[in-house]
Amino acid sequence: MNKKTGLGEFLRMRRSQLQPADVGLRDFGERRRVPGLRRDELAQLAGVGLSYYTRLEQGLSLNASPEVLDALARALGLDEVERTHLHDLARASRRTGTRRRPAPERAGDTTRQLLAAFGDAPAVVLGRRSDVLAWNRMGHTLFAGHLDPHIPDQPDQRPNTAWLVFLDAHTRDLYAEDWPKKARDVVGKLRLAAGQHPDDPRLAALIGELTMKSPEFAGMWSEHRVRRWDLATYRMHHPVVGRMQLNLQTLNVPQVDGQRIVVATAEAGTGSAAALSLLARAGIASAVRPVRQAGRTEAAGSPRYGVTGVSLMS
């Protein structure tokens, strides 16, 4: 992740995704040399000088004010999540020197108590990189029964949901026909994390590995789309209980930056609810597949990521 060019890359990509008609400009049918809006058109819409805007895109000007960034966000039609991401990228580009690496993550005792309190509702705790920090019995059974249930307790082997969605066959099969939706949600969340934590070497290593190993990830990553969701619905296909439609709800962990709990539920009285109950009663954590730990390539100079996990959250 290049902090100096991140802002410019985001502006350039989002500009290319807009057509003149999208922002109320007349299109006279002339052949355009670039996809989307031209730099001068966006600069005019935002009320900034063309030369200044050009320097922003080229990473030559790192001092954009909040007012200028808000003007660019309005001109690009960004939503609130995208606008916040734009400001995160601008702050990252202004940082100088080497910042202290983020502290190792762990799920606190009160968070684990809450996790246990969900009972038969599948739940997992995710960190800032979407690593699985903890899960309850049903969280493991539903999303990662083919893996060691104790793996989240090993910091260098923890499951990472982005890795799983793109590179783990079990997880891909689990999302059935909604895999493309899930994949884009995962990439959007990872984009947000990259803007918020530009100095995290393990996050950079994860993104690099996914870009090299998954053309689908590389394509989605290049779009610079960001997403944050509190509720999402996915059609899933579990190898033991079959098809389900589950609602995944996100709860932020109080006073812990970047940690969240994702809980899976089904509408009462439906076949999906019956399937979840059957899964809970069966106690099949070891019956989905033999427990395994799949190794991952260790990025140079960074801790080894484990390939394991949960398949649900972004």
Side-chain angles (χ1 to χ4, degrees), residues 57-103:
E57 273 202 6
Q58 294 174 342
L60 301 177
S61 181
L62 307 177
N63 60 346
S65 68
E67 292 76 16
V68 166
L69 295 173
D70 286 340
L72 289 170
R74 288 191 295 270
L76 289 167
L78 304 185
D79 61 25
E80 184 60 27
V81 173
E82 294 166 331
R83 187 192 69 81
T84 300
H85 181 62
L86 181 67
H87 282 265
D88 286 340
L89 293 174
R91 279 191 293 271
S93 69
R94 291 192 291 266
R95 293 173 183 166
T96 58
T98 302
R99 294 173 61 87
R100 185 175 60 184
R101 291 187 178 186

Side-chain angles (χ1 to χ4, degrees), residues 95-113:
R95 293 173 183 166
T96 58
T98 302
R99 294 173 61 87
R100 185 175 60 184
R101 291 187 178 186
E105 293 185 286
R106 61 177 297 273
D109 292 340
T110 56
T111 300
R112 291 178 180 273
Q113 292 169 16

Side-chain angles (χ1 to χ4, degrees), residues 23-287:
V23 293
L25 296 177
R26 295 184 63 183
D27 186 350
F28 295 99
E30 77 274 19
R31 183 176 179 180
R32 302 176 71 85
R33 292 181 297 175
V34 296
L37 295 180
R38 298 191 301 265
R39 282 175 177 168
D40 62 302
E41 291 172 329
L42 182 58
Q44 182 179 4
L45 287 169
V48 300
L50 175 58
S51 61
Y52 176 67
Y53 175 76
T54 300
R55 291 196 301 274
L56 285 177
E57 273 202 6
Q58 294 174 342
L60 301 177
S61 181
L62 307 177
N63 60 346
S65 68
E67 292 76 16
V68 166
L69 295 173
D70 286 340
L72 289 170
R74 288 191 295 270
L76 289 167
L78 304 185
D79 61 25
E80 184 60 27
V81 173
E82 294 166 331
R83 187 192 69 81
T84 300
H85 181 62
L86 181 67
H87 282 265
D88 286 340
L89 293 174
R91 279 191 293 271
S93 69
R94 291 192 291 266
R95 293 173 183 166
T96 58
T98 302
R99 294 173 61 87
R100 185 175 60 184
R101 291 187 178 186
E105 293 185 286
R106 61 177 297 273
D109 292 340
T110 56
T111 300
R112 291 178 180 273
Q113 292 169 16
L114 178 59
L115 194 65
F118 284 110
D120 287 340
V124 300
V125 182
L126 298 182
R128 57 178 172 265
R129 290 181 294 264
S130 294
D131 292 341
V132 179
L133 306 183
W135 48 31
N136 63 6
R137 180 184 62 84
M138 271 295 288
H140 168 256
T141 299
L142 176 60
F143 299 112
H146 62 309
L147 301 170
D148 184 346
H150 304 294
I151 199 70
D153 297 327
Q154 304 177 39
D156 289 341
Q157 297 290 327
R158 283 172 177 158
N160 177 274
T161 58
W163 198 101
L164 289 165
V165 165
F166 283 95
L167 299 178
D168 180 74
H170 172 85
T171 300
R172 187 158 189 146
D173 291 345
L174 187 64
Y175 281 97
E177 59 264 48
D178 273 347
W179 184 89
K181 173 185 175 183
K182 178 60 182 174
R184 291 192 179 279
D185 287 347
V186 164
V187 173
K189 183 64 182 70
L190 206 60
R191 268 286 178 195
L192 283 177
Q196 294 163 353
H197 307 285
D199 300 294
D200 188 333
R202 295 191 66 175
L203 178 57
L206 171 66
I207 293 168
E209 182 181 1
L210 289 172
T211 300
M212 292 178 61
K213 293 183 176 180
S214 171
E216 292 164 309
F217 176 87
M220 293 181 189
W221 185 255
S222 69
E223 296 173 358
H224 286 261
R225 297 288 184 181
V226 294
R227 295 187 183 184
R228 177 186 295 132
W229 53 267
D230 298 318
L231 174 64
T233 301
Y234 299 106
R235 292 168 293 177
M236 304 174 75
H237 187 273
H238 194 275
V240 172
V241 297
R243 294 188 179 274
M244 297 178 287
Q245 180 166 298
L246 300 182
N247 301 312
L248 307 184
Q249 301 184 58
T250 300
L251 310 172
N252 291 328
V253 177
Q255 300 180 342
V256 182
D257 181 37
Q259 287 191 22
R260 59 203 186 278
I261 300 176
V262 180
V263 185
T265 60
E267 184 178 350
T270 64
S272 297
L276 276 184
S277 296
L278 177 61
L279 199 57
R281 293 196 304 270
I284 57 166
S286 62

